[in-house]
Amino acid sequence: MKFPGNVLQRIDPPRGRLICIGDIHGCYDELIELLDRVAPKAADVVVSTGDIVRKGPQVARCLELWRDRGYLAVIGNNEEKLLRFAESSRARRLLLPPQDRKLLRRAELMEFVRGWPVAIDVPARNVTIVHGGLYPGMRVDGHDLGRAAMDVTRMRWIRRLDGQWQRAGRSKQRDADVLWAEVWDGPRTVVYGHTPLREPRVDARAIGLDTGCVYGGWLTAAIHDGTWRFERVRAREKYAD
């Protein structure tokens, strides 16, 4: 699939808080509870770190809420997967679970997802939001993000090969593999999802927010208003393995 033309979206500084929410995966009840706790105001900017879709029970309702409230999102690997299936043959789409096939028939929601960028940058807050991660040395610009868009949506472990960083896959395979956030050396604090954690992870210049709600964990928000704080709610049940 082709990534959105707007690979990078830069936004003005929020007049209020910057509220980033980790992987939602259709956990609508938990999302409503979290939003009630955080209580976004008109001056706040709310951003999803991607993977609103797939695995959980109420994906369409989550997307409808996000669209209707005018919240922002970066594209995650699961949105990207759905968009690729949307452009494939009917026979291939039949490989998807019924809920995903039903969502593909919601053209207006798929078009909404198609407009999400790979990264959202908030220069005034020195924050960039992506789904997976960034390679050390990457610039937060359209050129570098466009070249590595597939990796940015999927990155977890990385390794050096012939002097270059490469994505190592979903799980650590070699002793030399490192979580990208441990070695990220760019100018921004990067807020990300994708890597399931028991609790929010805070590195020197990165904050991980996927706390595995769809797997029975937590749904987490990072809230910036000069400093960072976290709010989270417990999953009501385990929706996926």
Side-chain angles (χ1 to χ4, degrees):
M1 59 158 279
K2 294 182 179 179
F3 275 88
N6 184 20
V7 174
L8 172 64
Q9 180 180 357
R10 284 202 166 94
I11 63 174
D12 294 330
R15 292 178 291 111
R17 299 171 296 172
L18 176 64
I19 301 166
C20 303
I21 298 179
D23 299 34
I24 296 167
H25 282 302
C27 298
Y28 181 82
D29 292 336
E30 292 83 354
L31 176 59
I32 289 296
E33 182 181 351
L34 182 61
L35 290 172
D36 285 346
R37 290 191 187 184
V38 175
K41 305 295 191 298
D44 298 334
V45 172
V46 180
V47 183
S48 162
T49 63
D51 275 9
I52 293 179
V53 307
R54 307 197 72 232
K55 301 182 181 181
Q58 299 186 76
V59 169
R61 292 188 74 186
C62 291
L63 288 174
E64 289 166 350
L65 181 151
W66 223 254
R67 177 197 61 193
D68 295 346
R69 295 193 182 187
Y71 294 163
L72 305 178
V74 297
I75 195 165
N77 61 297
N78 279 289
E79 283 89 16
E80 180 201 333
K81 183 174 183 178
L82 272 185
L83 291 172
R84 282 191 284 111
F85 269 99
E87 297 171 358
S88 65
S89 67
R90 182 177 181 276
R92 190 159 185 267
R93 291 197 295 272
L94 289 174
L95 299 173
L96 288 169
Q99 179 177 255
D100 290 348
R101 297 200 302 271
K102 184 176 180 180
L103 183 60
L104 289 181
R105 295 194 290 270
R106 295 286 303 274
E108 80 286 3
L109 290 181
M110 294 306 298
E111 190 61 26
F112 172 57
V113 171
R114 196 180 303 278
W116 297 354
V118 173
I120 291 175
D121 191 39
V122 194
R125 296 286 178 94
N126 202 38
V127 172
T128 298
I129 300 105
V130 300
H131 180 62
L134 299 176
Y135 288 117
M138 276 187 68
R139 296 172 298 178
V140 182
D141 63 19
H143 179 266
D144 279 14
L145 289 166
R147 290 182 60 187
M150 190 75 73
D151 289 344
V152 172
T153 63
R154 287 170 163 75
M155 193 179 302
R156 288 181 185 168
W157 300 97
I158 59 175
R159 65 173 64 119
R160 290 189 72 86
L161 184 64
D162 297 329
Q164 300 292 322
W165 288 104
Q166 294 188 0
R167 183 165 59 89
R170 290 173 59 87
S171 59
K172 187 176 180 180
Q173 298 171 325
R174 302 178 184 174
D175 290 341
D177 293 351
V178 296
L179 184 68
W180 73 270
E182 296 178 6
V183 291
W184 165 246
D185 57 356
R188 299 279 197 262
T189 294
V190 178
V191 181
Y192 64 100
H194 187 58
T195 301
L197 308 159
R198 292 185 178 180
E199 58 186 28
R201 175 175 176 131
V202 180
D203 287 284
R205 297 189 181 186
I207 297 173
L209 293 183
D210 181 5
T211 45
C213 186
V214 77
Y215 307 116
W218 301 80
L219 184 61
T220 299
I223 302 148
H224 186 270
D225 189 9
T227 59
W228 289 101
R229 71 176 182 88
F230 299 98
E231 190 73 58
R232 62 180 186 162
V233 300
R234 187 76 193 229
R236 299 190 178 189
E237 61 181 278
K238 183 179 181 181
Y239 303 106
D241 295 321

